[in-house]
Amino acid sequence: MQDKTLKRNIESAGGWFVGEYAGLIMDKFNQLENDKDVKSEFVRDVFHSQGRDKDYGGTRTRVNAVIRIIKSNKLIEALEYIIESDRINKEEPKAVRMAKEALREIKSEHTN
């Protein structure tokens, strides 16, 4: 991957997180971007549902990294990276499945 900023954002979020949550964050993007309470509640919900972070701060970092990816118009590239990653395919098949779903959704919106 050439784009160092994109790579850093994917690493900050975690490839599995980008795959599993990018579609959801994209769908709620305007609310998350414009309403701190909605964003805090979203981070709390994700924290409790995924259970991988020690505290809310880790989940907030992941959410913010995906938001940065979306704002930089690099979401398609990020999802393609997740889908093509051998390691993520082997270790996190659900994330790859969800990344493919999100990518299909984005591409169908662009063709409508």
Side-chain angles (χ1 to χ4, degrees), residues 2 10 12 14 35 46 52-53 57 60 62 79 87 90 104 107:
Q2 300 296 328
I10 292 171
S12 290
D35 188 329
V46 170
R52 291 199 186 191
D53 294 317
R60 188 178 317 106
R62 294 180 193 279
L79 291 170
R87 184 186 59 78
K90 192 166 49 180
R104 262 194 308 275
K107 287 183 174 180

Side-chain angles (χ1 to χ4, degrees), residues 1-11 69 72-75 77-78 81:
M1 176 178 297
Q2 300 296 328
D3 188 329
K4 287 181 178 16
T5 303
L6 177 58
K7 192 169 187 332
R8 239 186 346 266
N9 282 322
I10 292 171
E11 289 168 356
I69 291 169
S72 66
N73 293 316
K74 297 285 186 172
L75 185 56
E77 195 176 328
Y81 175 82

Side-chain angles (χ1 to χ4, degrees), residues 10-87:
I10 292 171
E11 289 168 356
S12 290
W16 69 271
F17 188 87
V18 175
E20 287 191 32
Y21 287 95
L24 185 59
I25 292 171
M26 181 186 63
D27 290 343
K28 296 177 175 283
F29 182 75
N30 287 333
Q31 290 173 289
L32 294 171
E33 187 69 350
N34 297 313
D35 188 329
K36 282 193 323 205
D37 294 335
V38 169
K39 187 174 181 182
S40 293
E41 186 177 326
F42 180 80
V43 169
R44 248 192 328 276
D45 290 347
V46 170
F47 173 79
H48 289 298
S49 69
Q50 53 96 353
R52 291 199 186 191
D53 294 317
K54 290 191 303 263
D55 56 37
Y56 294 126
T59 304
R60 188 178 317 106
T61 296
R62 294 180 193 279
V63 170
N64 286 333
V66 174
I67 288 172
R68 285 192 301 275
I69 291 169
I70 294 168
K71 284 170 79 169
S72 66
N73 293 316
K74 297 285 186 172
L75 185 56
I76 290 174
E77 195 176 328
L79 291 170
E80 288 172 342
Y81 175 82
I82 302 309
I83 292 164
E84 293 167 9
S85 166
D86 291 336
R87 184 186 59 78

